[in-house]
Amino acid sequence: MTLTTRAPGRVPAVVLALLAAPMALGMAAPPLVLPQAAGALGLTLGVVTWVVTTFGWAIAVGTPLLAGVQNRYGERAGLLVAGGLVLGGGLVTVTAPGLGSLLVGGALQGLGSAGFTTIAMSLAGSPRALGLVTASLATVGATAPLAGELVAGLLGWRAALALPVLSLAVLPLALRRTPATSPSRPPSPGVQGYGGRFDPGGAVALTGLVTALVFVPHAWHLAGGAAVLAALLLALRLRTRPDGFVPVTVIRVPRFLAASGLAFGLGVVNFGLLYALPGPLAAGTGWSGTAVGLAMTWPLLFGGLASYGVVAWTERLPFALSAALLAGLAATATVVALLGTAPPALLVAQGLASVAAASGQGVLAGRARAAVPEKDRPAAMGLFNLAYLLGTAFGPALVAG
């Protein structure tokens, strides 16, 4: 595996991977930490799970919003905005006196982390570099439950919920190698890019739709209606601004829609199992939280490491075959988790789900990006990541429900 893969004149792939990877800590570190937070705040575990839902909402919303900042002002500006959000969110989280502050801190960290990940994937100049970025997310996510438990023991549970700030360690390196504007897409006054007019109506409509969708698992009868209304408003906006925040030339591409839809499903399965399995594992074995975290590290780590090879292996396979293999892995993981009761079976299910999700993010992102016009690829990456990250919000919410 070559860690120095880079696009010409761009940030080294290893730096992009380290920039994006801490987002996985925000998604996967809380499962073993939330019981401590609930006890300290005097709340039920179901209520405190809103911290995870809020982070998932923020990365889902932040993905297209920060992609819009990147499109209009360039990658450097996007990195600076994302860095400010992560830093502010981390400070709010570690000083949070109650649940409200935790939700705000998690939202800010999620918005910034989404920006880092989207920009990192946009700057990846080859399928191998993109595979390294997505593999880093999966690999760090594999160790996240155990890392969260250990950090909580050393520094407290608030520090464990602020782990996404680690991405700031490599931000100076990324800024040093990132040009102020994209050499692959120069300013053009006629499009939603650098120099183009920002589309606030499209941004608001998409944010409303994502927000309603995130609430569907919690209150489907209200959020479902709100999602339909938001979708209608977004559709109307697309008619008046086809080249706006959500480019029509992207969402009319069947392969892009298929890749994004499958990525959402893979995210739901992977993160649903991540939050569903610690309880049965502890109950069936009597293990402590640290022991459960250590046990779950191995299947998640296997998925992350295997994904790099899977992304490279499927690079030349037909899209339909790649999609069928990924969907089959996720379906098998779900069946094993539902029918299995022994700890080894549950860990195998998590491993299969991890391979499918980590590989799918790399494989499907590359196919989705290649399917759209070059001028729309930053926006396409934002929308694709939005679909995958919606799965990270849906999975834990469905388990909590």
Side-chain angles (χ1 to χ4, degrees):
M1 181 171 64
T2 302
L3 296 182
T4 57
T5 305
R6 68 183 72 180
R10 292 288 192 171
V11 186
V14 66
V15 175
L16 296 176
L18 293 173
L19 186 70
M23 184 179 74
L25 294 171
M27 296 186 293
L32 303 178
V33 176
L34 291 182
Q36 300 179 42
L41 298 174
L43 301 171
T44 65
L45 183 58
V47 172
V48 177
T49 302
W50 274 101
V51 173
V52 179
T53 302
T54 301
F55 187 87
W57 167 83
I59 57 177
V61 169
T63 294
L65 291 181
L66 270 293
V69 173
Q70 174 193 354
N71 280 355
R72 181 169 174 79
Y73 299 108
E75 284 88 359
R76 284 182 62 85
L79 289 173
L80 290 171
V81 171
L85 290 168
V86 169
L87 177 60
L91 292 174
V92 171
T93 298
V94 297
T95 59
L99 181 63
S101 300
L102 286 176
L103 297 180
V104 172
L108 292 174
Q109 289 186 94
L111 290 169
S113 297
F116 280 148
T117 302
T118 299
I119 293 172
M121 295 180 72
S122 178
L123 291 176
S126 69
R128 197 172 290 272
L130 182 60
L132 180 60
V133 173
T134 57
S136 73
L137 285 164
T139 304
V140 171
T143 62
L146 180 60
E149 176 76 9
L150 294 175
V151 170
L154 293 173
L155 302 175
W157 56 267
R158 287 180 177 84
L161 296 178
L163 286 175
V165 300
L166 293 176
S167 58
L168 298 177
V170 296
L171 179 58
L173 296 175
L175 288 171
R176 189 177 306 165
R177 294 296 304 273
T178 303
T181 58
S182 173
S184 63
R185 196 165 72 111
S188 176
V191 299
Q192 170 76 17
Y194 307 114
R197 291 184 297 112
F198 185 68
D199 178 19
V204 170
L206 183 61
T207 301
L209 176 59
V210 171
T211 302
L213 290 174
V214 168
F215 278 88
V216 165
H218 297 279
W220 64 268
H221 51 294
L222 295 176
V228 171
L229 178 60
L232 291 174
L233 292 175
L234 180 60
L236 291 175
R237 187 62 183 174
L238 292 177
R239 291 179 64 88
T240 59
R241 283 294 303 273
D243 61 343
F245 194 79
V246 180
V248 172
T249 50
V250 171
I251 62 173
R252 284 181 176 173
V253 178
R255 179 165 292 188
F256 172 83
L257 295 178
S260 300
L262 179 55
F264 167 77
L266 298 178
V268 170
V269 172
N270 185 49
F271 287 94
L273 291 182
L274 182 64
Y275 281 81
L277 296 186
L281 283 172
T285 61
W287 291 342
S288 65
T290 301
V292 171
L294 182 60
M296 292 185 66
T297 296
W298 299 110
L300 293 170
L301 187 61
F302 169 75
L305 295 175
S307 68
Y308 188 81
V310 173
V311 171
W313 175 64
T314 58
E315 184 178 342
R316 297 184 178 181
L317 291 181
F319 173 76
L321 180 56
S322 299
L325 290 172
L326 294 169
L329 281 175
T332 302
T334 303
V335 171
V336 172
L338 290 174
L339 300 181
T341 57
L346 299 179
L347 294 175
V348 167
Q350 183 67 79
L352 293 174
S354 178
V355 172
S359 303
Q361 196 177 9
V363 172
L364 299 172
R367 302 301 177 92
R369 184 171 64 178
V372 302
E374 184 175 353
K375 69 181 180 65
D376 292 324
R377 286 178 180 176
M381 282 293 91
L383 293 172
F384 171 85
N385 285 329
L386 165 62
Y388 177 78
L389 295 172
L390 268 177
T392 72
F394 261 72
L398 290 171
V399 171

